[in-house]
Amino acid sequence: MTPARWWTVEHTADLAIEVEAHSLGELFVTGGLAMMGVLLGAEGGTGVPEAGPAADWRDLTCEASDREALFVDWLRELLYIQLSEQLLFSAADFNELDEKKLAARAAFQLPSNEAQVERELKGVTYHDLEVVRRGDEWFARVIFDL
């Protein structure tokens, strides 16, 4: 089984990522890792961005009207923590995750000395948003305002 993965996609004036995973939970985690990777200047990958010492575990909850809006709200929450506290999302365990609600325990770390934030993201958009199941895999596309 191949690990979940992500990659950037050229998009006019913005930046898109696409993510593939085996489960909805893995899709949400990989989407968060992809966003952190984008902040650090990466163009794709499968793992956790290089980070420094563990900083914090947080209990996060999100509710939305549908799966796509939930994915955006999740990423917005992770981005808010990164922007306000300079912490990088690194992992999550979901206590609940369905089409409209999630409850997770999320890990955040300080960036390592070698892995500093290189790109600023202003926000997570709904434009061209997609979160779907394709056969046995989950797929998401999301566009960030730069």
Side-chain angles (χ1 to χ4, degrees):
M1 181 182 293
T2 59
R5 62 191 185 103
W6 67 274
W7 56 94
T8 58
V9 178
E10 289 186 32
H11 195 273
T12 55
D14 296 316
L15 179 73
I17 59 166
E18 293 183 348
V19 182
E20 289 180 341
H22 302 293
S23 69
L24 188 58
E26 189 178 37
L27 187 79
F28 274 62
V29 169
T30 305
L33 294 174
M35 185 171 65
M36 297 302 113
V38 165
L39 289 166
L40 297 174
E43 299 297 324
T46 59
V48 177
E50 186 176 338
D56 209 357
W57 281 88
R58 308 272 175 98
D59 292 320
L60 303 178
T61 58
C62 297
E63 289 188 53
S65 59
D66 57 32
R67 179 176 51 225
E68 289 81 9
L70 188 64
F71 191 68
V72 167
D73 287 352
W74 165 251
L75 294 177
R76 285 179 175 171
E77 183 68 24
L78 300 179
L79 182 59
Y80 173 78
I81 291 168
Q82 192 284 316
L83 291 171
S84 62
E85 301 177 48
Q86 291 72 54
L87 296 174
L88 299 173
F89 167 74
S90 60
D93 293 318
F94 291 96
N95 299 319
E96 179 179 359
L97 178 58
D98 60 33
E99 299 288 312
K100 297 182 179 183
K101 184 176 181 182
L102 70 78
R105 187 146 173 80
F108 295 86
Q109 297 177 303
L110 296 167
S112 71
N113 291 336
E114 296 81 31
Q116 297 299 312
V117 173
E118 294 182 12
R119 186 183 280 145
E120 180 181 337
L121 300 180
K122 294 178 184 174
V124 184
T125 75
Y126 285 95
H127 178 73
D128 207 19
L129 176 65
E130 189 175 2
V131 179
V132 296
R133 188 171 183 110
R134 293 180 174 173
D136 292 338
E137 299 290 315
W138 283 91
F139 172 84
R141 177 188 310 106
V142 64
I143 297 173
F144 301 108
D145 281 334
L146 298 179

